Amino acid sequence: MKTKTLELVLSPLDNQRLANLCGALDENLRQIETALDVAISRRGEKFTLKGEPGQAARASDALQKFYDDARRSLTVDDIQLGLVEFRQRPQEEEDHGPVLATRRSDLRGRTPRQRRYIQDILDHDLTFAIGPAGTGKTYLAVACAVDALERDVVKRIVLVRPAVEAGERLGFLPGDLAQKVDPYLRPLYDALYDLMGFDKVQRLFERGAIELAPLAYMRGRTLNHSFIILDEAQNTTPEQMKMFLTRIGFGSKAVVNGDVTQVDLPRGAKSGLIEARRILAEVRGIAFCLFQTEDVVRHPLVQRIVDAYERHHDKQERPR
């Protein structure tokens, strides 16, 4: 592959900003190299970038952007999130989308689809989010639920997840119901703690304003004035999905999310999420947000891993 070498001089010279840009032991530069597939070397404020022409130019723009932001210390998380936004951002500045009432002042959609996902949740009573791991499906749904609770739009948050192991058999779990389902709902817990703080979440659990509900226990209920999140919905059966969707009551919102490439149901069993997408595609009032690999907001390697698995799957599906 043809490579190009670019020279970049950052100005005005500011040694503190350079240190913030590069990070400890140039760790921030290594993140940019990995994400954009370039090699970066530097002497002082002079940077040399080597890579495919388009990527080298993007790396040059990214370094300039991060240098502008480097009046404060930049963590690895700042660099990785910034790179996600940079890959998606047009040349002109664009709107960051709706502002949610959480304790994370920097919370916003990092890609156009994430911003559209948040807006879909705000505008619709039922939203489906389908896409690969790391695209923010669960975290942003919980953020919207916290926002609705803080603004008194709903009275409680209900977190639902099917209890299906990812290719393992854990046996019987000890403890009460909450302790049994805790391992399956851990990603939802983590998002709540990050967005509201541990103490506040515990108080809301005690008041019943946040509820954990294993999918199997949803039958027969009607949830009014609630924000309901069904996570890992690819592991529901069609019967379970229909049962869940008919639990939605007055004044409620529901978000259903999952990754149809990671179904852990027994071999031959149909996924309720796949079937619901087909059956409900034309139903008014329901939003479908389909995430792609470019929406992955995790370590840059995660996007490459997802891409590699998709290429492998496509090869297997291609007619011989």
Side-chain angles (χ1 to χ4, degrees):
M1 181 180 294
K2 185 179 179 181
T3 61
K4 182 177 181 180
T5 299
L6 285 182
E7 303 289 337
L8 172 67
V9 179
L10 295 176
S11 63
L13 175 60
D14 184 327
N15 288 326
Q16 184 58 56
R17 284 169 67 184
L18 278 173
N20 291 340
L21 168 65
C22 298
L25 301 175
D26 287 347
E27 176 59 26
N28 291 346
L29 298 184
R30 304 289 81 79
Q31 294 293 325
I32 297 172
E33 286 182 321
T34 301
L36 299 179
D37 198 20
V38 296
I40 302 175
S41 59
R42 78 175 184 99
R43 296 192 68 177
E45 76 278 22
K46 299 178 180 178
F47 290 75
T48 302
L49 314 172
K50 293 182 180 180
E52 187 271 328
Q55 293 299 90
R58 290 167 67 83
S60 176
D61 292 342
L63 284 171
Q64 185 64 63
K65 172 198 175 298
F66 287 126
Y67 188 64
D68 294 340
D69 296 339
R71 291 176 177 83
R72 60 177 180 84
S73 178
L74 297 177
T75 66
V76 170
D77 285 352
D78 292 330
I79 296 296
Q80 291 183 353
L81 289 172
L83 285 167
V84 171
E85 288 186 289
F86 182 78
R87 290 198 301 268
Q88 301 285 338
R89 179 182 297 164
Q91 293 302 314
E92 67 277 5
E93 197 66 29
E94 64 176 276
D95 180 29
H96 284 153
V99 177
L100 301 177
T102 73
R103 72 170 191 166
R104 286 285 303 273
S105 60
D106 62 337
L107 177 66
R108 61 181 184 271
R110 300 286 176 169
T111 72
R113 286 190 189 89
Q114 287 190 346
R115 290 189 283 275
R116 189 164 63 249
Y117 176 44
I118 294 173
Q119 194 63 57
D120 281 343
I121 293 174
L122 297 178
D123 293 343
H124 297 81
D125 289 337
L126 175 58
T127 302
F128 285 82
I130 302 172
T135 50
K137 303 183 299 296
T138 298
Y139 191 87
L140 293 177
V142 174
C144 289
V146 170
D147 172 80
L149 189 66
E150 295 285 2
R151 296 179 190 275
D152 204 30
V153 176
V154 299
K155 299 302 181 184
R156 59 178 170 168
I157 298 172
V158 181
L159 308 176
V160 184
R161 200 175 186 188
V164 177
E165 295 95 346
E168 302 178 68
R169 291 293 175 265
L170 303 180
F172 292 101
L173 296 174
D176 57 22
L177 178 61
Q179 291 171 321
K180 290 178 186 293
V181 300
D182 180 82
Y184 303 102
L185 295 165
R186 180 51 53 185
L188 299 167
Y189 275 116
D190 292 342
L192 283 171
Y193 293 150
D194 189 39
L195 294 166
M196 302 182 79
F198 181 84
D199 292 338
K200 185 171 185 178
V201 170
Q202 291 303 310
R203 290 196 301 271
L204 291 173
F205 269 121
E206 292 171 2
R207 286 169 37 197
I210 299 178
E211 178 186 349
L212 306 178
L215 182 59
Y217 285 69
M218 290 289 288
R219 188 173 297 280
R221 301 186 61 182
T222 299
L223 300 173
N224 295 318
H225 305 291
S226 302
F227 197 114
I228 316 155
I229 300 173
L230 173 58
D231 198 31
E232 299 292 336
Q234 75 275 7
N235 290 327
T236 62
T237 65
E239 294 77 16
Q240 287 175 323
M241 177 62 74
K242 181 181 177 183
M243 180 269 291
F244 171 80
L245 295 176
T246 54
R247 302 305 97 199
I248 302 171
F250 294 110
S252 291
K253 282 183 176 289
V255 177
V256 177
N257 60 54
D259 178 1
V260 295
T261 68
Q262 297 193 47
V263 177
D264 299 313
L265 293 170
R267 185 177 298 276
K270 291 183 178 179
S271 168
L273 180 60
I274 295 174
E275 185 172 275
R277 177 183 173 185
R278 184 177 66 254
I279 293 173
L280 304 177
E282 303 301 324
V283 177
R284 292 180 58 188
I286 299 177
F288 284 86
C289 189
L290 306 179
F291 289 101
Q292 306 297 327
T293 56
E294 56 263 31
D295 299 303
V296 171
V297 185
R298 285 186 183 171
H299 192 287
L301 279 176
V302 174
Q303 186 176 21
R304 296 184 182 184
I305 290 169
V306 172
D307 285 335
Y309 271 98
E310 286 189 352
R311 288 194 298 270
H312 176 71
H313 181 265
D314 290 342
K315 288 180 180 178
Q316 288 186 322
E317 293 294 318
R318 190 179 303 148
R320 296 183 181 275

